């Protein structure tokens, strides 16, 4: 019997339903083998669970399996013995008009048309967005706000699981005048015997970025309200605790209410959640009975707004029901946990928006609390702050001065997306403050179930990478430096406030030592936009360590880059925008930004994350979009072509390989493998095979590469610094093509040759220059060293990696310095020389090389001699 142990990710909520992915070795899990059954840490079989394959090996065996299970203990053990699990479960019925899911507690009805997306006994759900249009005439500024309501387009059962049923709805928002604004994809996950629904909400920009500003985006829950106003209540989470108020506050001047309820004054009992009955109460001044008429004079608070308009401050404001009355300030704080709860005498609901302050501006509104129907609104984009301006930052390009791509303005937000997670909770009695905080923590830091790094390493997921090892002075130095590099960026997210609806998850490109800040305003030096795959650095760092802080930063980066940096429809579908001041601003729209490899780890670790799955689907035909915008158009404008567009072996074709590998393993469809093989066979015919180019002509219809000589637009290093080596070496055992493997070995051995040696080895085809930044090729050279047993090449790998960071005298490292009395910080920590390109590639290549050259690694720094060719 084989067993696999899994554990909760540290510093996250624990317990309850969780979906997670488990990898298996080839041939280990098939339709014929016994299922791997989850057991609690105390040995009891898990009652509620389901599984499904989400990736396959070429032989059809399962590569990754998705599990959803309700776990109560400290972890899970998967055993391949017997069959266990839930015999009953969610009941799903479908008619022409609706899909209905009964989970044992409530019935969720999903209509197939109209504007109501979901009906339950507790609430109905719908969508709303607001567009702001701006006009200025001399000194008169006019802003028009237009409301749009979500109309249902398609409704489908995306996951018919018995313990977790997912309904996917797509559509757009329509105004009362018939025009539309912002497409949406929304998923509702209903869990068996749970009074909660998970919501994944995606909106996609389809407006005109010059005129259509996003004023608000909301999920609206409508709930029937019954009972006395003094027994209706609202709760919301702040930084540390809960704010609790009733719609009529019974802390009165007169009548003076009594006697005590239990041992509590009436107002204290009200705030403790007791249902107040006036009939036994008297006015303690005269012992006269208290009447409803007297209480009717008590202020009726009808509307509340929790407004997180910056990452460092929120306000609570409230108002009576009258639109022409003011909102008053009720409270304030720094970073709300993003949950609001409303209730009456028979129950209540709450909604929690994950990353509430991280993706500011966000708001939670409650209206109609004193009427027959209340609305609880989760504003993913808050209407209380400035609208989201989608325009570019300038009217001219800065390709000559600030490293922007081409001499044209290419800013376009059309087709980008933003995804947010919400959790809706349902209650049959007054929820305690402790329950509210627990629910907020569960929604804000949802549980994650993981295998150990050692197990991932044993299975061999995601190619070649090393486990942490400090057994020698050199290895300890390398591990310590990688830890310092990550800790620096983790701190920078907070220190530089890299938060916001469009920004959260991205990091900056290059530092400005003179201004003591990043080059946030200098063209291509601003946002990173996956340049040189910091995503792979972070995901490899996580799977080898299991650290929650690394996971959280990697998750945020993958979700950002998958949605914001990539186009999901339109002429650029599957492409992304190169690094720029504005995330969608650069004129270079290229496949590498949306590469499947950026988010593949998140997809599998989370058991087939459905939104990331959308994004993986969006990029599998990204090569066709280069027919609309050739990545090398400025290099071949006046030259005749035999094929309709171009592709460099890297980062273009290497990205296609990543996209197609992911599509192949997810679907088992060999047409994606065949596309990869077609390109490999074309490269076999090139004079220098993988070394040739890297510019090629390309035909998306046939997947053929056309050799056009030895020319590398932007430099030969671009072929190996965007995830290509990691993808190609992972493909080798899957394709079982010895020549392809030999091509990679040849490429790796070639990169570290001197210019003279390159010129000679290429038969004079290559002058030898252009192969810059050798540390970016360290992983590929390590692969060549391992496959050929070349100790000298392995030694060169460590010459390159050590001296690229430590310098000739081996004194430099990732230490920080302190700037005192900086503009907004008493002490600002900085690395004055820092470039994310260097950090991401150095750490990634070090992680891979530690694995591939083990046995050839010097023990100390002193053993590694300086070489003049290391730059």
């Amino acid at each position: 019997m084989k067993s696999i142990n899994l554990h909760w990710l540290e510093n996250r909520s624990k317990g309850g339903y969780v979906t997670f992915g488990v990898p298996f070795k080839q041939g280990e899990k098939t339709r014929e083998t016994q299922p791997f059954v989850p057991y609690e840490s105390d040995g009891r079989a898990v009652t509620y669970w389901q599984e499904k394959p989400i990736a396959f090996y070429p032989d059809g065996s399962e590569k990754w399996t998705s599990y959803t299970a309700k776990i109560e203990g400290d972890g899970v053990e998967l055993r391949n013995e017997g069959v266990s699990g839930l015999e009953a479960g969610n009941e799903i019925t479908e008619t022409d008009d609706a899909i209905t899911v009964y989970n044992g507690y409530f019935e969720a009805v999903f209509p197939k048309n109209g504007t109501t997306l979901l009906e339950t006994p507790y609430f109905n759900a719908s969508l709303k967005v607001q567009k702001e249009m701006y006009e200025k005439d001399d000194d008169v500024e006019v802003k028009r706000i237009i409301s749009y309501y979500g109309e249902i387009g398609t409704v489908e059962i995306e996951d018919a699981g018995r313990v977790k049923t997912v309904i996917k709805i797509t559509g757009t928002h329509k105004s009362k005048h018939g025009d539309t604004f912002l497409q949406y994809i929304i998923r509702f996950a209903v869990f068996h015997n749970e009074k909660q629904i998970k919501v994944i909400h995606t909106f996609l920009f389809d407006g005109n970025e010059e005129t259509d500003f996003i004023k608000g985006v909301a999920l609206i829950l409508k709930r029937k309200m019954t009972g006395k106003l003094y027994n209706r209540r609202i709760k919301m989470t702040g930084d540390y605790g809960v704010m609790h108020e009733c719609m009529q506050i019974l802390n009165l001047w007169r009548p003076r209410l009594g006697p005590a309820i239990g041992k509590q004054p009436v107002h204290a009992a009200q705030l403790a959640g007791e249902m107040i009955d006036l009939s036994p109460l008297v006015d303690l001044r005269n012992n006269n009975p208290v009447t409803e008429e007297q209480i009717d004079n008590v202020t009726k608070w009808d509307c509340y707004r929790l407004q997180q308009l910056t990452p460092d401050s929120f306000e609570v404001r409230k108002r009576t029901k009258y639109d022409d009355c003011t909102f008053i300030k009720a409270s304030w704080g720094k970073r709300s946990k993003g949950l609001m709860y409303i209730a009456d005498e028979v129950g209540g609901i709450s909604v929690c928006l994950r990353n509430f302050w991280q993706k500011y501006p966000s708001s939670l509104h409650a209206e109609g609390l004193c009427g027959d129907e209340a609305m609880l609104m989760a504003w993913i984009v808050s209407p209380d702050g400035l609208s989201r301006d989608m325009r570019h930052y300038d009217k001219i390009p800065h390709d000559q001065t600030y490293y922007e791509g081409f001499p044209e303005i290419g800013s376009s937000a059309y087709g980008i997306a933003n995804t947010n997670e919400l959790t809706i909770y349902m209650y049959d009695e007054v929820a305690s403050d402790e329950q509210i905080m627990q629910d907020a923590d569960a929604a804000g830091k949802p549980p994650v179930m993981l295998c150990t790094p050692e197990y991932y390493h044993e299975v061999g997921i995601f190619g070649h990478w090393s486990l942490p090892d400090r057994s020698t002075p050199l290895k300890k130095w390398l591990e310590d430096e990688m830890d310092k590099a990550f800790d620096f960026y983790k701190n920078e997210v907070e220190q530089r406030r890299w938060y916001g609806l469009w920004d959260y998850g991205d990091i900056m490109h290059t530092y400005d030592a003179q201004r003591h800040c990043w080059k946030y305003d200098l063209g291509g030096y601003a946002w990173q936009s996956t340049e040189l795959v910091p995503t792979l650095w972070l995901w490899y760092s996580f799977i080898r360590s299991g650290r929650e802080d690394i996971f959280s930063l990697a998750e945020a980066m993958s979700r950002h880059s998958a949605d914001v940096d990539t186009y999901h429809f339109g002429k650029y579908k599957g492409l992304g925008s190169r690094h720029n001041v504005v995330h969608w601003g650069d004129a270079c729209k290229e496949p590498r930004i949306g590469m499947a490899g950026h988010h593949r780890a998140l997809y599998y670790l989370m058991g087939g994350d459905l939104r990331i799955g959308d994004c993986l689907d969006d990029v599998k035909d990204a090569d066709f979009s280069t027919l609309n915008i050739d990545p090398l158009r400025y290099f071949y404008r006046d030259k005749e072509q035999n094929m309709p567009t171009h592709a460099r072996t890297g980062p273009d074709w290497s990205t296609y390989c990543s996209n197609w590998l992911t599509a192949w393993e997810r679907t088992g469809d060999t047409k994606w493998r065949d596309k990869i093989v077609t390109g490999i066979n074309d490269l076999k015919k090139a004079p220098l095979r993988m070394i040739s180019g890297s510019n090629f002509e390309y035909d998306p219809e046939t997947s053929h590469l056309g050799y056009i000589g030895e020319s590398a637009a932007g430099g030969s290093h671009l072929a190996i610094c965007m995830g290509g080596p990691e993808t190609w070496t992972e493909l080798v055992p899957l394709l079982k093509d010895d020549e392809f493997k030999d091509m990679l070995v040849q490429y790796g051995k070639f990169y570290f040759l001197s210019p003279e040696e390159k010129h000679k080895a290429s038969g004079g085809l290559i002058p030898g220059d252009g192969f810059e930044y050798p540390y970016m090729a360290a992983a590929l050279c390590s692969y060549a060293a391992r496959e050929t047993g070349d100790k000298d090449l392995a030694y060169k790998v460590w010459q390159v990696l050590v001296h690229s960071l430590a310098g000739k005298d081996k004194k430099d490292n990732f230490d920080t310095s302190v700037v005192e009395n900086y503009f907004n910080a008493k002490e600002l920590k900085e690395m004055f020389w820092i470039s994310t390109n260097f950090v991401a590639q150095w750490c990634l290549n070090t992680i891979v090389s530690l694995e591939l050259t083990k046995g050839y690694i010097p023990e100390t720094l002193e053993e590694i001699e300086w070489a003049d060719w290391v730059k």
Side-chain angles (χ1 to χ4, degrees):
M1 179 193 76
K2 173 169 179 149
S3 65
I4 305 166
N5 292 308
L6 296 98
H7 60 278
W8 297 111
L9 181 59
E10 61 185 353
N11 300 322
R12 289 292 188 103
S13 60
K14 298 175 175 62
Y17 278 107
V18 61
T19 299
F20 54 94
V22 179
F24 293 90
K25 293 180 180 179
Q26 185 163 343
E28 191 171 54
K29 191 173 188 294
T30 68
R31 293 177 180 176
E32 289 72 35
T33 58
Q34 290 192 92
F36 281 74
V37 176
Y39 286 79
E40 293 274 11
S41 53
D42 62 5
R44 292 179 295 112
V46 173
T47 302
Y48 301 133
W49 68 279
Q50 65 190 44
E51 64 165 318
K52 64 178 180 180
I54 54 174
F56 303 91
Y57 286 102
D59 66 357
S61 60
E62 292 183 27
K63 192 172 189 178
W64 283 87
T65 301
S66 172
Y67 286 85
T68 296
K70 188 174 184 179
I71 310 298
E72 304 301 336
D74 295 331
V76 173
E77 181 185 15
L78 294 179
R79 305 176 192 167
N80 65 328
E81 59 172 17
V83 178
S84 177
L86 185 64
E87 294 182 2
N90 291 350
E91 298 174 8
I92 309 169
T93 58
E94 183 171 7
T95 67
D96 292 340
D97 299 321
I99 296 171
T100 301
V101 180
Y102 176 68
N103 77 337
Y105 276 135
F106 62 87
E107 194 172 73
V109 179
F110 299 89
K112 291 186 176 181
N113 53 67
T115 58
T116 299
L117 278 59
L118 167 62
E119 300 171 351
T120 78
Y122 296 85
F123 66 88
N124 292 347
S126 59
L127 299 175
K128 179 180 180 179
V129 303
Q130 292 179 333
K131 176 169 71 176
E132 180 179 284
M133 303 192 75
Y134 171 81
E135 297 175 5
K136 184 176 181 180
D137 182 9
D138 197 16
D139 290 335
V140 178
E141 296 183 19
V142 178
K143 294 181 179 180
R144 294 191 301 127
I145 298 175
I146 306 167
S147 294
Y148 296 76
Y149 302 91
E151 288 215 343
I152 295 169
T154 66
V155 183
E156 63 175 290
I157 304 168
E158 190 170 28
D159 188 339
R162 303 289 279 171
V163 302
K164 175 186 174 184
T165 303
V166 179
I167 306 300
K168 177 183 177 182
I169 305 172
T170 66
T172 189
H173 301 84
K174 184 177 288 188
S175 76
K176 293 180 179 178
H177 303 290
D179 59 316
T180 62
F181 182 55
L182 299 185
Q183 298 173 36
Y184 71 84
I185 304 168
I186 191 167
R187 293 173 164 95
F188 296 92
V190 181
F191 298 89
H192 186 63
N193 280 353
E194 287 289 319
K195 293 179 183 174
Q196 63 171 267
I197 295 177
K198 297 283 188 181
V199 183
I200 307 297
H201 177 284
T202 302
F203 70 89
L204 304 101
F205 187 78
D206 56 4
N208 181 340
E209 60 264 6
E210 295 298 322
T211 59
D212 300 343
F213 301 167
I214 303 173
K215 183 62 176 174
V217 176
L219 171 68
I220 299 178
L221 309 180
K222 294 182 179 179
R223 173 179 170 80
K224 299 294 184 184
M225 301 293 283
T226 62
K228 303 299 183 182
L229 300 190
Y230 45 78
N231 286 328
R232 302 184 190 185
R233 64 196 72 242
I234 187 168
K235 294 188 178 189
M236 61 198 82
T237 54
D239 304 79
Y240 308 107
V242 174
M243 177 179 174
H244 178 192
E245 290 194 353
C246 293
M247 281 45 271
Q248 286 187 299
I249 300 170
L250 298 181
N251 185 11
L252 307 182
W253 172 46
R254 57 185 184 190
R256 195 168 301 162
L257 299 180
I261 299 176
K263 295 183 178 181
Q264 299 185 93
V266 173
H267 181 226
Q270 184 188 33
L271 289 180
E274 297 283 347
M275 291 298 127
I276 305 300
D277 179 6
L278 289 187
S279 60
L281 299 184
V282 298
D283 185 341
L284 294 178
R285 299 174 304 157
N286 51 32
N287 268 349
N288 289 334
V290 176
T291 66
E292 292 288 353
E293 288 75 15
Q294 289 175 293
I295 300 301
D296 188 60
N297 185 246
V298 175
T299 308
K300 303 175 180 70
W301 296 108
D302 187 77
C303 305
Y304 284 76
R305 294 180 177 178
L306 171 58
Q307 304 165 336
Q308 183 87 51
L309 303 185
T310 80
D312 294 307
S313 65
F314 69 84
E315 278 192 352
V316 179
R317 306 181 72 83
K318 68 179 185 179
R319 192 194 68 186
T320 56
K321 70 178 182 180
Y322 304 105
D323 291 341
D324 53 355
C325 286
T326 189
F327 277 89
I328 67 169
K329 182 176 178 179
S331 194
W332 64 276
K334 293 184 178 179
R335 293 174 169 177
S336 168
K337 293 180 180 291
L339 182 145
M340 182 175 279
Y341 158 88
I342 61 173
D344 56 19
E345 293 182 345
V346 298
I349 59 172
S350 71
V351 63
C352 187
L353 176 57
R354 189 183 178 204
N355 295 322
F356 185 70
W357 60 266
Q358 291 93 332
K359 295 186 72 173
Y360 78 95
S362 308
S363 288
L364 297 169
H365 291 187
E367 296 181 2
L369 296 173
C370 298
D372 295 332
E373 183 178 72
M375 287 195 298
L376 181 56
M377 293 170 279
W379 286 96
I380 294 163
V381 180
S382 172
D384 304 319
L386 296 174
S387 59
R388 299 300 91 190
D389 188 340
M390 312 300 287
R391 295 173 296 182
H392 197 47
Y393 76 98
D394 204 350
K395 293 293 186 182
I396 60 172
H398 301 285
D399 56 301
Q400 298 300 309
T401 54
Y402 284 150
Y403 189 38
E404 292 189 330
F406 288 137
E408 63 184 53
I409 294 290
S411 184
S412 175
Y414 186 84
I416 68 167
N418 202 290
T419 296
N420 295 272
E421 302 172 44
L422 307 96
T423 305
I424 303 168
Y425 296 98
M426 292 151 273
Y427 312 86
D428 292 323
E429 55 189 23
V430 176
S432 66
D433 290 358
E434 293 74 17
Q435 183 66 55
I436 293 295
M437 290 297 287
Q438 180 180 322
D439 290 344
D441 288 338
K445 300 199 78 173
V448 176
M449 184 66 72
L450 297 163
C451 303
T452 63
E454 291 76 14
Y455 178 76
Y456 292 138
H457 189 264
E458 177 190 349
V459 174
I461 64 170
F462 310 135
H464 306 285
W465 49 272
S466 57
L467 291 168
D469 181 358
R470 288 179 162 85
S471 61
T472 69
L474 176 57
K475 289 179 179 178
K476 182 180 184 301
W477 181 83
L478 293 167
E479 296 291 347
D480 289 348
E481 292 306 312
M482 287 192 288
D483 282 350
K484 286 192 286 187
F486 171 76
D487 290 342
F488 173 76
Y489 277 88
K490 173 186 172 182
N491 181 66
E492 282 294 89
V493 173
E494 173 66 11
Q495 180 171 253
R496 306 292 178 172
R497 296 303 193 268
W498 289 338
Y499 301 120
L501 176 75
W502 300 116
D503 299 343
Y504 183 57
D506 208 349
I507 56 180
M508 287 276 174
H509 191 285
T510 304
Y511 199 68
D512 186 332
Q514 285 68 43
R515 290 192 291 172
H516 302 294
C517 67
W518 293 80
K519 296 180 180 180
Y520 69 94
D521 54 350
L522 303 187
Y525 293 111
W527 290 112
Q528 188 73 14
S529 297
T530 74
E531 173 85 347
L532 273 63
V533 292
T535 45
L536 295 190
W537 159 43
L538 292 178
W539 281 119
Y540 276 32
S541 297
F542 169 70
I543 58 175
R544 71 194 299 263
S545 69
R547 284 174 52 177
E548 184 273 336
D549 52 355
I550 300 179
F551 178 91
S552 293
L553 186 56
E555 179 191 18
M557 185 177 290
S558 277
R559 295 198 184 281
H560 165 88
S561 59
D563 270 330
V564 179
D565 293 339
T566 308
Y567 293 99
H568 304 277
F569 55 81
K571 64 181 180 180
Y572 301 145
K573 181 178 179 180
L575 308 180
S577 292
R578 179 181 173 270
H579 41 102
N580 196 262
V581 172
V582 175
H583 293 288
W584 48 87
D586 202 85
C588 290
K589 311 299 183 185
E590 298 189 8
R592 60 184 163 109
I593 295 99
M595 180 178 71
H598 295 305
H599 342 296
R600 185 165 159 249
L602 179 61
Y603 175 79
Y604 288 126
L605 292 171
M606 302 304 283
D609 183 281
L610 294 174
R611 174 56 194 161
I612 295 297
D614 288 345
C615 298
L616 297 177
D617 288 338
D618 289 340
V619 302
K620 62 180 185 286
D621 287 319
D623 53 331
F624 282 88
S625 291
T626 64
L627 296 172
N628 302 319
I629 184 166
D630 188 330
L632 301 183
R633 61 194 181 277
Y634 275 86
F635 296 92
Y636 295 97
R637 283 182 293 183
D638 302 321
K639 297 184 179 181
E640 293 185 4
Q641 295 179 204
N642 295 317
M643 293 181 177
T645 187
H646 291 87
R648 294 157 289 183
T649 50
D652 306 315
W653 183 74
S654 62
T655 291
Y656 302 152
C657 289
S658 177
N659 298 347
W660 296 335
L661 164 61
T662 306
W664 175 27
E665 65 187 1
R666 288 179 67 208
T667 65
D669 190 338
T670 56
K671 77 174 184 180
W672 305 109
R673 176 205 62 193
D674 295 344
K675 285 174 170 285
I676 299 171
V677 170
T678 296
I680 291 174
N681 289 336
D682 289 333
L683 291 172
K684 289 176 181 179
K685 301 170 187 174
L688 302 175
R689 302 192 297 182
M690 287 290 289
I691 301 168
S692 278
S694 59
N695 299 351
F696 283 76
E697 289 184 349
Y698 180 70
D699 185 354
E701 290 289 347
T702 64
S703 305
H704 276 297
L705 292 164
Y707 179 69
I708 52 175
E710 300 302 326
S711 177
S716 301
H717 66 285
L718 290 179
I720 47 86
C721 66
M722 305 282 187
E726 290 73 28
T727 300
W728 295 327
T729 54
E730 187 177 355
L731 277 167
V732 167
L734 301 175
L735 296 176
K736 301 186 185 304
D737 183 335
D738 290 339
E739 185 178 356
F740 177 52
K741 178 179 177 180
D742 185 63
M743 291 159 64
L744 295 175
V745 170
Q746 178 192 19
Y747 198 0
K749 293 175 74 70
F750 184 85
Y751 207 98
F752 281 1
L753 297 177
S754 68
E756 296 76 19
E757 291 170 323
K758 287 188 177 79
H759 184 71
K760 181 179 179 180
S762 67
L765 286 175
I766 294 177
D769 56 0
F771 289 79
E772 299 176 314
Y773 310 112
Y775 68 90
M776 297 181 184
L780 186 61
C781 297
S782 295
Y783 182 78
R786 186 190 73 170
E787 294 303 316
T788 59
D790 190 334
K791 295 181 181 180
D792 292 336
L793 182 57
Y795 178 77
K796 287 184 177 181
V797 167
W798 294 108
Q799 278 186 300
V800 166
L801 287 173
V802 166
H803 289 291
S804 293
L805 174 61
K808 187 174 183 178
D809 59 4
K810 302 189 183 79
K811 292 183 179 179
D812 296 330
N813 53 32
F814 286 120
D815 285 349
T816 58
S817 57
V818 173
V819 177
E820 295 185 352
N821 299 317
Y822 177 68
F823 173 66
N824 58 6
K826 179 72 174 174
E827 293 185 343
L828 179 81
K829 293 182 179 180
E830 71 170 7
M831 291 187 202
F832 69 90
W833 59 270
I834 200 73
S835 159
T836 301
N837 279 3
F838 174 79
V839 177
Q841 278 294 296
W842 187 88
C843 291
L844 175 61
N845 279 272
T846 298
I847 290 169
V848 175
S849 297
L850 281 167
E851 177 69 12
L852 291 175
T853 65
K854 57 187 177 184
Y856 303 139
I857 305 174
E859 292 200 353
T860 66
L861 281 169
E862 289 69 29
E863 295 176 52
I864 302 174
E865 297 180 357
W866 170 258
D868 289 335
W869 59 273
V870 176
K871 297 178 182 178

